Amino acid sequence: MLLLTLYVIGITAEAMTGALCAGRKHMDWFGVMFVASATAIGGGTVRDILFGHYPLTWVANPHFLVITCVAGLITPWIASWVARNYKLFVTLDALGLAAFSIIGCRVAMDMGLHPLICMVSSLITGIFGGLLRDLICRQSPMVLHKELYALVAFVTGALYFSLIRLDVGELIATVASLVIGFGFRMAALRFGWSLPVFRFEAPSSLH
Amino acid sequence: MLLLTLYVIGITAEAMTGALCAGRKHMDWFGVMFVASATAIGGGTVRDILFGHYPLTWVANPHFLVITCVAGLITPWIASWVARNYKLFVTLDALGLAAFSIIGCRVAMDMGLHPLICMVSSLITGIFGGLLRDLICRQSPMVLHKELYALVAFVTGALYFSLIRLDVGELIATVASLVIGFGFRMAALRFGWSLPVFRFEAPSSLH
Amino acid sequence: MLLLTLYVIGITAEAMTGALCAGRKHMDWFGVMFVASATAIGGGTVRDILFGHYPLTWVANPHFLVITCVAGLITPWIASWVARNYKLFVTLDALGLAAFSIIGCRVAMDMGLHPLICMVSSLITGIFGGLLRDLICRQSPMVLHKELYALVAFVTGALYFSLIRLDVGELIATVASLVIGFGFRMAALRFGWSLPVFRFEAPSSLH
């Protein structure tokens, strides 16, 4: 129930940031809904396709799709408010990231997948929404360039997986992973933590 | 049978527009066949992957893939004729869009999916070919920016779904949806109908 | 066993070329691992998703994913060595291409798919890694523009398929396809073979 609430908050916040991105590219209302939905539920969709985990969440529960489309469609009217309160959205997005990571790990565990794949599942669920948004909007994929985002998802998943295996109980595992994952992401933002960057200037003959 | 004929016309027309796009990017013959096929059968492929609906149409019936490759390969020889008769292709594409929408809705209904998902299935089948083409050719995705395309697919699917539920019979539902979907698309082109556009100029710190 | 060895060599070489590409785009270490893995195992992943062939190789055997991530991560330290020895990598990549093509054909044959689809499976396995790399790195997809790459994969698959159907035995079919596929690719590189290019300069009103 806690996780479902955070999931809905997460997809709403992600849908709105996706819609802003569509607005920056001057898309029409359909484009706005499309990018909003891809950003919000793209991560879980890619994960389920990679694992052959059918039916997809939004196919079985179309109201999630309605939420992301509505969140996308109202964004044009509240865009300046969203822009002024971006810190709020960054916070909601961090909450959503932690929730997505736990859900992704849970799905892979329920399928009996390898521990490493459970953590990769957290990562995929956490990052692919933003990655799809950036590919569709034709901008450099943020999550591959800077900011601690993928690592937060991976660590949150690893923590949740370990706590469940240590038999601390579903609730404690969920709350602890949420708090630590959320705190990790917010700390990374505040202190500007990031991974080292690989710069390679290649002769043009190499590809 | 009618639907199959329109499907073949639709994938042929879409393959040719995809091939023209590949030609504008100076791709080689393989690139031409690849973009042609992705444009023509990409929509149904994405739909079937999202719904876990296997085997894919072109895997079970490889002759559809042969059709799109051949249509792509002959495009370089008839490119100037195609360019001069673009109105014909726009018409065939509109026919194909209506046919794709009905087929997409049919597939989802046969799988027993939620009514909203059946209409979304029409939309996915109708738009994802062009979306993949634009992503592969690295150009702004037309269908997210302007023109009534996605809405036509959605409305055609909604109409077909409703008529089937109203028990008017398969043939009447198909023909009525085809005629109205096709007419809606052609009217949208002629009168320049489009959805409102969301323009958002963001401070660069937002993403 | 031979094929497994070549597969590991192939994914290692492809992961390193993917990592170099990520370095040219100034990605961080996660981006490097991501692009490396997508380049190396993206082809097999796309093939298995298109055919509904679950579980994916790297989901069932996560050590392949570990190999590509490690190969990606060490690339920054050996980048100048890799760049100086690019001919070695081109050779390993050609070996990997032949191995990928045979594996792709084998998977499709084991699923009882149509002969043409078996050859298309070789092609998909061979090219989609590089295609995903280019899409993620936002550069023109090499394989659609020049160089004989897709055709090599297709021909290697066709040869393997024919030899198996001629009952020459698994080992002979594999070795012969490897040698000829590898030789074909190296010859194409050395002699600059390529497919004809389709150039089409369109009036801007066409799309």
Side-chain angles (χ1 to χ4, degrees):
Chain A
M1 189 47 61
L2 169 68
L3 220 48
L4 179 65
T5 309
L6 289 169
Y7 177 74
V8 170
I9 291 173
I11 60 173
T12 306
E14 290 228 21
M16 286 182 167
T17 63
L20 287 186
C21 191
R24 231 167 290 126
K25 297 291 173 172
H26 301 172
M27 291 187 184
D28 67 16
W29 285 2
F30 170 69
V32 168
M33 287 192 284
F34 185 85
V35 177
S37 300
T39 309
I41 55 185
T45 298
V46 169
R47 175 201 65 220
D48 287 343
I49 290 174
L50 289 172
F51 296 161
H53 182 252
Y54 291 105
L56 302 184
T57 311
W58 56 269
V59 172
N61 303 289
H63 46 272
F64 290 134
L65 194 59
V66 173
I67 291 174
T68 59
C69 286
V70 170
L73 265 191
I74 64 172
T75 304
W77 278 274
I78 60 169
S80 63
W81 177 84
V82 171
R84 275 198 315 275
N85 295 279
Y86 213 75
K87 276 196 177 166
L88 169 64
F89 276 80
V90 165
T91 309
L92 296 178
D93 178 76
L95 261 180
L97 175 62
F100 286 5
S101 304
I102 293 168
I103 293 168
C105 191
R106 184 76 264 170
V107 167
M109 290 178 79
D110 288 344
M111 293 181 73
L113 299 178
H114 187 283
L116 180 62
I117 297 298
C118 293
M119 298 162 204
V120 170
S121 176
S122 293
L123 191 155
I124 291 169
T125 313
I127 70 158
F128 254 93
L131 199 56
L132 288 178
R133 175 199 63 207
D134 292 342
L135 285 178
I136 298 168
C137 291
R138 303 167 71 231
Q139 58 194 17
S140 197
M142 189 69 62
V143 73
L144 303 179
H145 282 273
K146 50 183 180 187
E147 293 195 8
L148 236 47
Y149 205 88
L151 187 64
V152 170
F154 190 84
V155 166
T156 306
L159 182 64
Y160 177 78
F161 183 90
S162 310
L163 290 173
I164 291 287
R165 282 293 164 95
L166 290 171
D167 261 331
V168 302
E170 182 70 40
L171 185 68
I172 293 178
T174 302
V175 171
S177 308
L178 262 177
V179 169
I180 293 177
F182 173 72
F184 187 15
R185 171 72 182 143
M186 294 308 285
L189 281 170
R190 164 163 294 258
F191 301 113
W193 294 341
S194 64
L195 290 173
V197 165
F198 172 32
R199 284 170 205 279
F200 177 63
E201 312 305 336
S204 64
S205 68
L206 304 184
H207 63 82
Chain B
M1 188 48 62
L2 169 68
L3 220 49
L4 179 66
T5 309
L6 289 169
Y7 177 73
V8 170
I9 290 174
I11 62 174
T12 305
E14 290 229 20
M16 286 182 167
T17 63
L20 287 185
C21 190
R24 232 167 290 129
K25 298 291 174 173
H26 301 173
M27 292 188 182
D28 67 16
W29 285 2
F30 170 70
V32 168
M33 285 191 286
F34 184 85
V35 176
S37 299
T39 308
I41 56 185
T45 298
V46 168
R47 176 201 64 219
D48 287 344
I49 289 175
L50 290 172
F51 295 161
H53 182 252
Y54 291 104
L56 303 184
T57 311
W58 56 269
V59 172
N61 304 289
H63 47 272
F64 290 134
L65 194 59
V66 173
I67 290 174
T68 59
C69 287
V70 169
L73 266 191
I74 64 173
T75 305
W77 278 275
I78 59 168
S80 65
W81 178 83
V82 172
R84 275 198 313 277
N85 295 277
Y86 213 74
K87 276 197 176 166
L88 170 64
F89 276 79
V90 164
T91 309
L92 295 179
D93 178 76
L95 261 180
L97 175 62
F100 287 5
S101 304
I102 293 168
I103 293 169
C105 191
R106 185 76 263 169
V107 168
M109 289 179 80
D110 288 344
M111 293 181 73
L113 299 178
H114 187 282
L116 179 63
I117 297 298
C118 293
M119 299 163 204
V120 169
S121 176
S122 293
L123 190 156
I124 291 170
T125 312
I127 71 159
F128 254 94
L131 200 56
L132 288 178
R133 176 199 62 208
D134 292 343
L135 285 177
I136 299 169
C137 290
R138 303 168 69 231
Q139 59 193 18
S140 197
M142 188 69 62
V143 73
L144 303 179
H145 282 274
K146 50 185 179 187
E147 293 194 9
L148 237 48
Y149 206 88
L151 187 64
V152 170
F154 190 84
V155 166
T156 306
L159 181 65
Y160 177 78
F161 183 88
S162 309
L163 290 174
I164 291 288
R165 282 293 164 94
L166 291 171
D167 262 330
V168 302
E170 182 69 41
L171 184 68
I172 293 178
T174 303
V175 171
S177 309
L178 263 177
V179 169
I180 293 176
F182 172 72
F184 186 15
R185 171 72 182 144
M186 294 308 284
L189 281 169
R190 163 164 295 258
F191 302 113
W193 294 342
S194 64
L195 290 173
V197 166
F198 172 31
R199 284 168 205 278
F200 177 62
E201 313 304 335
S204 64
S205 67
L206 304 183
H207 63 84
Chain C
M1 189 48 61
L2 169 67
L3 220 49
L4 180 65
T5 309
L6 289 168
Y7 177 74
V8 170
I9 291 174
I11 62 173
T12 306
E14 290 228 22
M16 287 182 167
T17 62
L20 287 186
C21 191
R24 230 166 293 127
K25 297 291 174 171
H26 302 172
M27 292 189 183
D28 68 16
W29 286 1
F30 170 69
V32 168
M33 286 191 285
F34 184 85
V35 176
S37 299
T39 309
I41 55 185
T45 297
V46 169
R47 175 201 66 218
D48 287 344
I49 289 174
L50 289 173
F51 296 161
H53 182 251
Y54 292 104
L56 303 185
T57 311
W58 57 268
V59 172
N61 304 288
H63 47 271
F64 290 134
L65 193 59
V66 173
I67 291 175
T68 58
C69 285
V70 169
L73 265 191
I74 64 172
T75 304
W77 279 274
I78 60 168
S80 64
W81 177 83
V82 172
R84 275 199 313 277
N85 295 278
Y86 212 74
K87 275 196 177 168
L88 170 64
F89 276 80
V90 165
T91 309
L92 295 178
D93 179 76
L95 261 180
L97 175 62
F100 286 5
S101 304
I102 293 168
I103 292 168
C105 190
R106 183 77 263 169
V107 167
M109 289 178 79
D110 288 344
M111 293 182 73
L113 300 178
H114 187 282
L116 179 64
I117 297 298
C118 293
M119 298 163 204
V120 169
S121 176
S122 293
L123 191 155
I124 291 169
T125 312
I127 71 160
F128 254 93
L131 199 57
L132 288 178
R133 176 198 63 206
D134 292 343
L135 285 177
I136 298 168
C137 291
R138 302 166 71 229
Q139 57 193 19
S140 197
M142 189 69 62
V143 73
L144 303 179
H145 282 272
K146 51 184 178 186
E147 294 194 9
L148 236 47
Y149 205 88
L151 187 64
V152 171
F154 190 85
V155 166
T156 306
L159 182 63
Y160 177 78
F161 183 89
S162 308
L163 290 173
I164 291 289
R165 282 294 165 94
L166 290 171
D167 262 329
V168 301
E170 182 70 41
L171 184 68
I172 293 178
T174 303
V175 171
S177 310
L178 263 177
V179 169
I180 293 177
F182 172 72
F184 186 15
R185 171 72 181 143
M186 294 308 286
L189 281 170
R190 163 163 294 258
F191 302 113
W193 293 342
S194 64
L195 290 173
V197 166
F198 171 31
R199 285 168 205 280
F200 177 62
E201 312 306 336
S204 64
S205 68
L206 304 184
H207 62 85

